[in-house]
Each structure stands twice: as structure tokens, then as C-alpha cells.
Amino acid sequence: AIQARAGRPGKALDTLEPLLPQGDGWERAQYLCRLGLYRAVVSHADAPTFTGQGIAMAERLGERRLTGQCLEAHALTYSMLGRRDSVLGIMDRADALLRATHDHSSLGRLASRRSDELQFLGRLGEAKAALDQVLAEAEISRNRERYGFAYGGLGMLALRVNDLPTAVEYFER
């Protein structure tokens, strides 16, 4: 955290890079996607370059699940950098791959992030539908943490439209 504030995002990841096997590999693709995310957190404009490289490597490896997860990271980097015009389209690509690989836990996380993006855009009905999808994926994957995020998100969404009784109902679950 200190290094990130000092303009050195991902320093720990930088020290990891030489330890990875050379060439294309699952670990290196995952590393690139995480490095991109870390760089986006501190607003480095090159962040999508790293997630894009991770996506390309995962695709070369035929790793559809990892490609979907890296696409999710790619969308998040664009969102964090305020370049929202392509975020939902990237999320759609991620959704298709994660659905094809039956990665319901990742689908739940992606739907939660989609809801955040839709709320930012003022598309509250679609945001609620995305949170309902989080609940569905949480049930399939038995991911209790996702339930908490979904109910919290639904409560916050209810607060946005001044529906305090519904918000309280969600927060008490």
C-alpha cells in the first residue's frame, strides 16, 4: 500500500514476474491480469495493456475460464480509469465465457460489478436485475459471500430510490 501511494503500484507483483516460467502459461496470464488491475487502482493509463496481454495469452492457451476472468479484470480497469464506453461490452464477452465454463462464482462476481457499472450509468432497473443474477449465481455456487454482496447491493439500490423499508429488509438478511 505504501508503494502504491508512492507511485510504485504492483511492486510486489514486479518481484514475482521473474519467478514465473518463461513463455505463455496460466500463471503468467493471471499475473498480467492482476498487474493491470493493480495499475488501474492507482490510475495508471497503461493498465488495460496488461489485462489485454493477459487475455491474449489465456486465449492462446485455450483457457476459456481464465480468459473470462481476465476480461472481467479488463472491464474493471476501463471502469476505474473512467473509460466506460466499452465496459459493458467487455463484461458481455466475459459473461459468455464464464457461462460456458459453468463458473458460477465468477459469474456472480461479474454480475455484481455489472450492477455497479449500471448504477453509475443511472440504469437502476438493469442494475437490480444484475443483482438478482448475483443471487441466482450465489445459490448455484453456494457462495455465501456473494449472497452478502447481493443483499447489500440491493439494499443500497433501494436507498438510492428512497425506499427505506425495502433497504432495511435487504440489510437485515
Side-chain angles (χ1 to χ4, degrees), residues 65-115:
R65 179 179 178 199
L66 179 58
T67 302
Q69 292 168 344
C70 285
L71 281 163
E72 177 185 358
H74 197 54
L76 195 54
T77 62
Y78 278 110
S79 179
M80 285 189 280
L81 294 173
R83 297 173 5 199
R84 291 190 147 80
D85 55 325
S86 57
V87 171
L88 293 174
I90 296 168
M91 286 181 172
D92 289 342
R93 289 178 54 207
D95 185 89
L97 286 166
L98 296 171
R99 201 160 296 288
T101 59
H102 308 285
D103 185 354
H104 296 285
S105 186
S106 292
L107 282 164
R109 184 184 60 239
L110 177 64
S112 182
R113 290 182 172 159
R114 179 184 300 273
S115 176

Side-chain angles (χ1 to χ4, degrees), residues 7-81:
R8 300 282 321 244
K11 176 92 170 106
L13 287 175
D14 290 343
T15 60
L16 174 64
E17 197 274 336
L19 302 174
L20 294 170
Q22 292 298 309
D24 286 358
W26 187 93
E27 295 86 357
R28 187 169 295 278
Q30 182 70 265
Y31 160 79
L32 289 166
C33 292
R34 289 182 188 223
L35 180 61
L37 277 175
Y38 288 122
R39 291 186 70 76
V41 165
V42 292
S43 302
H44 279 259
D46 66 351
T49 301
F50 293 101
T51 52
Q53 290 172 1
I55 292 164
M57 187 174 294
E59 287 175 333
R60 284 192 302 273
L61 294 167
E63 291 280 351
R64 294 185 311 158
R65 179 179 178 199
L66 179 58
T67 302
Q69 292 168 344
C70 285
L71 281 163
E72 177 185 358
H74 197 54
L76 195 54
T77 62
Y78 278 110
S79 179
M80 285 189 280
L81 294 173

Side-chain angles (χ1 to χ4, degrees), residues 136-158:
E137 298 300 343
E139 185 172 331
I140 293 167
S141 64
R142 295 184 177 96
N143 187 328
R144 294 177 59 173
E145 183 180 45
R146 277 298 140 221
Y147 277 115
F149 286 131
Y151 288 129
L154 288 164
M156 293 302 292
L157 189 56

Side-chain angles (χ1 to χ4, degrees), residues 124 156-164:
L124 304 184
M156 293 302 292
L157 189 56
L159 285 177
R160 282 191 72 174
V161 297
N162 298 314
D163 184 354
L164 186 57

